[in-house]
Amino acid sequence: MDTGQRSFPSDLPIARPGDDILSLSTPLPLIDEDRLEANIARVQSYMDAHRLNFRPHIKTHKLPAVARQQVEAGARGINCQKITEAEVFAAEGFDDILITFNIIGPEKLERLVALNATISGLKVVADSFETVDGLSARFAGEKPLTVLVECDTGAGRCGVQTPDAAADLARRIAASTGLVFGGLVTYPKARSEEATEAFLAATIAMLAETGIACPIVSNGGTPSLFSGHLVPSATEHRAGTYVYNDRAMVRSGHCTLGDCAMHILATVVSRPTPDRAVLDAGSKALTSDLLGLSDYGHVVEYPDAVITGLSEEHAVVDLSKVSGDRPQIGDKLCIVPNHTCVVTNLFDTMTFHRNGVVTRVERIEARGRVW
């Protein structure tokens, strides 16, 4: 008897090593192994040359396997943005983790206590007395937690606003039960090395006057990567996007399109007019982030094509400036996204390849870990 029930495949198709990437179902993010390895080596070589510790931010890839590649190349510790991300990486054996986010609320604090008991090198940040006092109240009687003062050196996001305020907060941490002062951290405005150094150096000097050491001075950002040596007070640098790179990093001058390891493989599903193509990769695959750009991705095979708009599942491509042959229904195209970090959080798996042949598929273990 027909019960009306129907069976469906339980999972989406997953690529296998040896598959040709053009045989894969789309939309699908792809990582070029050669470019990935070159990006890791290039940045680590710079950090080593300038004797800077390098702490990669895992928000770009959210993959323990890629973090291991970074650590094996010479990185010292990792940077996470949320507790749940850090939990994933701690479970995979990573022991030196900095969480660069103000942690507030009893549920998060409970998980932070448990995480701190699990690994030896956990560090967090704070930019207010309220955050510090909340941490201290929960960590009293527990294994002490290392806390760094977050400083706003020009980016205009989180962080204390002056060296005086940074020194005051550092003293509050040092005097708080359950806490250990670990140093300073900043995510600076790009190309603001002089102002960043002035802020950090002034804070360090004030702390030295009261006998407070500043063991870690953590500078950050991919756009500021290769000018990190211009902030001599910094002991380490943090960056995430560099590992894959994207159009925003190309625009900033950090890299070229040839350094972009991530592509989104998409299929042409409609050609409504001679000057318009529609792809199966919308905002749920490419993200709607513009980051100051005027369109939504670079089409590798047709550099003059312009992705003018995204709906959830469709990308509309203007072909009016494309001379010669134009893409046809069923063609597969590679797109360099505007913002690679967001793309990672849109998919369950990441497919890696070398010269168009799949090498591995990694489950994005820290996907969706947003608190």
Side-chain angles (χ1 to χ4, degrees):
M1 181 177 68
D2 187 354
T3 63
Q5 295 180 335
R6 298 290 184 268
S7 62
F8 296 94
S10 59
D11 290 304
L12 294 171
I14 295 179
R16 294 172 296 180
D19 285 349
D20 186 321
I21 60 172
L22 294 181
S23 71
L24 304 178
S25 294
T26 63
L28 185 72
L30 303 171
I31 302 299
D32 184 307
E33 297 268 28
D34 291 332
R35 294 182 181 187
L36 170 70
E37 291 166 4
N39 290 338
I40 292 172
R42 173 187 178 215
V43 170
Q44 190 62 55
S45 177
Y46 167 83
M47 296 297 167
D48 291 345
H50 292 283
R51 298 182 180 179
L52 274 168
N53 293 337
F54 183 47
R55 182 182 297 276
H57 202 320
I58 60 83
K59 70 184 178 71
T60 301
H61 54 73
K62 291 179 174 278
L63 288 168
V66 173
R68 287 193 189 95
Q69 288 180 258
Q70 294 170 308
V71 171
E72 288 169 1
R76 300 186 185 182
I78 60 171
N79 179 190
C80 294
Q81 199 71 351
K82 299 296 181 71
I83 297 171
T84 49
E85 285 181 334
E87 288 171 341
V88 169
F89 283 81
E92 290 290 332
F94 292 86
D95 193 59
D96 184 349
I97 301 175
L98 170 64
I99 302 175
T100 46
F101 207 88
N102 284 306
I103 298 172
I104 295 170
E107 288 184 321
K108 294 182 177 67
L109 290 172
E110 287 302 315
R111 294 179 78 143
L112 191 64
V113 167
L115 181 61
N116 193 48
T118 302
I119 62 175
S120 64
L122 182 65
K123 293 166 279 289
V124 303
V125 304
D127 71 351
S128 69
F129 286 167
E130 291 85 351
T131 301
V132 169
D133 292 347
L135 292 169
S136 178
R138 182 59 191 87
F139 276 83
E142 304 285 353
K143 174 188 171 184
L145 176 69
T146 299
V147 183
L148 283 70
V149 172
E150 185 168 10
C151 305
D152 178 7
T153 57
R157 196 165 64 182
C158 295
V160 295
Q161 298 297 295
T162 66
D164 285 309
D168 284 345
L169 192 57
R171 288 189 280 267
R172 180 71 155 247
I173 295 167
S176 294
T177 302
L179 306 182
V180 175
F181 173 64
L184 308 175
V185 62
T186 186
Y187 182 79
K189 182 180 179 181
R191 291 175 289 280
S192 64
E193 289 78 21
E194 185 175 349
T196 299
E197 172 59 20
F199 190 117
L200 297 174
T203 306
I204 293 167
M206 279 188 275
L207 291 175
E209 289 175 0
T210 55
I212 297 177
C214 194
I216 299 171
V217 181
S218 186
N219 195 17
T222 295
S224 303
L225 255 178
F226 296 111
S227 55
H229 64 285
L230 299 177
V231 184
S233 290
T235 63
E236 71 173 29
H237 198 97
R238 311 176 322 281
T241 311
Y242 87 96
V243 75
Y244 291 163
N245 287 316
D246 54 26
R247 285 185 82 210
M249 292 301 101
V250 173
R251 183 196 56 187
S252 75
H254 165 72
C255 64
T256 69
L257 285 169
D259 299 314
C260 292
M262 176 185 278
H263 293 131
I264 310 303
L265 187 67
T267 301
V268 179
V269 294
S270 179
R271 284 293 314 277
T273 74
D275 287 343
R276 187 193 318 156
V278 180
L279 310 180
D280 62 354
S283 62
K284 290 179 178 177
L286 289 172
T287 88
S288 57
D289 283 4
L290 283 171
L291 300 180
L293 296 159
S294 60
D295 56 341
Y296 294 92
H298 171 78
V299 182
V300 173
E301 295 83 356
Y302 297 92
D304 294 324
V306 180
I307 302 176
T308 58
L310 301 178
S311 56
E312 290 182 64
E313 309 291 354
H314 300 87
V316 176
V317 186
D318 178 1
L319 302 174
S320 61
K321 295 181 181 178
V322 176
S323 59
D325 293 338
R326 294 179 175 184
Q328 301 301 311
I329 292 174
D331 286 353
K332 291 181 177 177
L333 307 177
C334 287
I335 302 165
V336 178
N338 289 350
H339 192 184
T340 183
C341 306
V342 179
V343 172
T344 293
N345 204 49
L346 297 173
F347 292 88
D348 291 325
T349 61
M350 192 64 70
T351 301
F352 294 73
H353 72 96
R354 203 181 299 274
N355 299 320
V357 178
V358 175
T359 54
R360 54 179 165 143
V361 177
E362 299 283 356
R363 185 171 185 84
I364 303 173
E365 297 291 350
R367 183 204 172 204
R369 306 292 179 132
V370 295
W371 68 270

